[in-house]
Amino acid sequence: WDTTEDALREYFSSFGEVSEALVMRERQTNKPRGFGFVTFRDSSAADKAVGASHTIDGRQVEAKRA
């Protein structure tokens, strides 16, 4: 899992304005844990993202509301 916050922000910005992108990391090693969070300025952008299929850095990604 090598996806960065910048990569998440860039990818999901095609659905709407991203106010925050965060990749969750292991505390001891700082390695990505394989999931993250994206916050959109407008909830309609989140609805579009949840309804679509995603491939980021060659991996299938599932978008869910949190």
Side-chain angles (χ1 to χ4, degrees):
W1 306 101
D2 294 326
T3 302
T4 65
E5 283 85 0
D6 289 339
L8 279 181
R9 180 180 298 279
E10 181 179 330
Y11 177 84
F12 281 103
S13 67
S14 66
F15 296 94
E17 187 176 351
V18 174
S19 58
E20 182 179 31
L22 180 65
V23 173
M24 302 308 293
R25 299 181 179 279
E26 294 287 341
R27 289 182 187 194
Q28 288 88 7
T29 64
N30 202 37
K31 289 184 181 179
R33 295 177 60 193
F35 70 98
F37 296 94
V38 175
T39 305
F40 291 97
R41 292 222 185 264
D42 184 350
S43 65
S44 66
D47 293 335
K48 289 185 227 173
V50 168
S53 61
H54 310 283
T55 302
I56 302 173
D57 292 338
R59 293 186 180 262
Q60 288 292 117
V61 176
E62 184 179 357
K64 301 177 187 175
R65 279 194 168 270

